[in-house]
Amino acid sequence: MAKQRETRWVKLLAACIVRPLISLVTKPEWKGTEHVPAEGGVIIAANHLSMADPLTVAHFLYVGGRRWPTFTMKEAVLKIPVVSWVARSTGQIPVKRGSTDAIKALHEAELALTRDGASVIFYPEGTCTRDPQLWPMTAKTGVARLALTTGVPVVPVAHWGEQELLPYGAKKPSLFPRKRVQFLAGPPVDLSRFRDQPLTATLLREATEAIMADITALQATIRGEQPPAVPYDMKRARLEAGQAEEKQAEERNGAPGEAGAEDGRSSAGA
């Protein structure tokens, strides 16, 4: 029997406060809600545009999908007294990054999916996209691993519009006029070819790419645009930026040994 993760009255209170606020500043458009199962464990895998989209994704899932949203939340957020109390009372999963507690969080997510039949929202990218055109980036493999170990479906969800409400890096939201926020959920990602196989790094990477490909295709449908052939890779971009800076520094200062060579030629000529 599924365990009740949330305190009912806190859950009701949170819904009564958050729903009107989101409706006040956004004009949501939801499609594909029929793909969200009515019950049982499910992973909701979404792209990440803005620090505001956890609220809009939760709104989509709670009202459109008729499921209670469960997030994995950074421990730093849970140190805020009121937020911590609300988060724990509504069944959210704390994550202490960079430590063995991250493994505990993964185990807690497994229990939420398999024992409690929860609908758990994940951002496979791990952070807001840095793609210049805001397309989904390459992702971490944690969601694929969780899906393959638990056997629960992964419902891909794409959204667009929160970047107008609160662009990444902005400190103040642009609340008015109300922003159009579009959501499109697709059928569960087909991971059948990856199941019942050893969870190698290659297999997890390919399963992750399959999840992100579905999310990207859904966002392309919303935007009516063609996504890039190769997803933006933040690590590669940082590496290339570092190499470019080093090259520019060498050009400004002269390549090592170049000044000495010139001095040698001048002395010989004298």
Side-chain angles (χ1 to χ4, degrees):
M1 182 177 179
K3 176 184 175 182
Q4 181 67 39
R5 296 180 55 81
E6 311 89 25
T7 303
R8 291 183 182 277
W9 72 270
V10 177
K11 175 179 171 181
L12 179 62
L13 179 63
C16 289
I17 293 174
V18 174
R19 284 183 62 184
L21 290 176
I22 294 298
S23 298
L24 183 65
V25 298
T26 67
K27 294 184 288 185
E29 299 176 8
W30 301 329
K31 294 181 180 180
T33 54
E34 69 276 8
H35 296 301
V36 179
E39 57 184 18
V42 59
I43 292 173
I44 305 297
N47 62 297
H48 202 354
L49 284 171
S50 160
M51 296 305 291
D53 63 45
L55 292 175
T56 59
V57 173
H59 192 213
F60 163 81
L61 185 60
Y62 181 64
V63 180
R66 299 184 181 277
R67 296 294 302 269
W68 181 253
T70 300
F71 284 92
T72 55
M73 302 184 70
K74 294 180 181 180
E75 187 193 39
V77 175
L78 297 178
K79 289 182 178 179
I80 305 171
V82 175
V83 174
S84 174
W85 174 73
V86 171
R88 296 181 190 280
S89 298
T90 54
Q92 309 309 311
I93 301 170
V95 178
K96 187 175 182 180
R97 297 184 186 277
S99 74
T100 55
D101 284 352
I103 299 175
K104 294 180 182 179
L106 182 62
H107 179 63
E108 180 67 21
E110 289 179 354
L111 290 178
L113 291 166
T114 57
R115 181 194 67 191
D116 307 335
S119 50
V120 184
I121 300 167
F122 288 95
Y123 292 116
E125 297 159 281
T127 186
C128 292
T129 183
R130 304 298 199 276
D131 180 86
Q133 301 302 319
L134 301 182
W135 290 102
M137 305 185 294
T138 56
K140 302 180 185 300
T141 59
V143 172
R145 179 184 293 275
L146 197 58
L148 294 174
T149 54
T150 62
V152 303
V154 179
V155 173
V157 173
H159 52 97
W160 184 246
E162 293 92 344
Q163 74 279 3
E164 301 295 334
L165 176 64
L166 183 65
Y168 177 76
K171 295 182 178 180
K172 294 182 179 181
S174 173
L175 300 178
F176 301 104
R178 293 167 65 203
K179 305 300 185 290
R180 182 189 186 195
V181 176
Q182 299 170 275
F183 274 82
L184 178 59
V189 181
D190 183 8
L191 298 176
S192 58
R193 65 188 183 278
F194 304 112
R195 299 194 186 279
D196 302 320
Q197 296 187 49
L199 298 181
T200 63
T202 299
L203 181 136
L204 290 173
R205 185 171 60 253
E206 291 177 354
T208 300
E209 289 171 355
I211 294 170
M212 294 309 298
D214 281 11
I215 295 173
T216 302
L218 291 170
Q219 196 191 75
T221 299
I222 294 174
R223 296 171 60 169
E225 301 174 15
Q226 188 68 26
V230 179
Y232 182 84
D233 187 326
M234 190 163 61
K235 289 184 178 180
R236 182 182 301 168
R238 286 176 175 173
L239 178 61
E240 291 175 351
Q243 291 173 341
E245 288 179 2
E246 290 179 2
K247 184 176 180 180
Q248 289 174 0
E250 289 178 359
E251 290 174 350
R252 287 195 301 268
N253 302 326
E258 184 178 324
E262 291 178 352
D263 290 344
R265 288 194 298 270
S266 298
S267 298

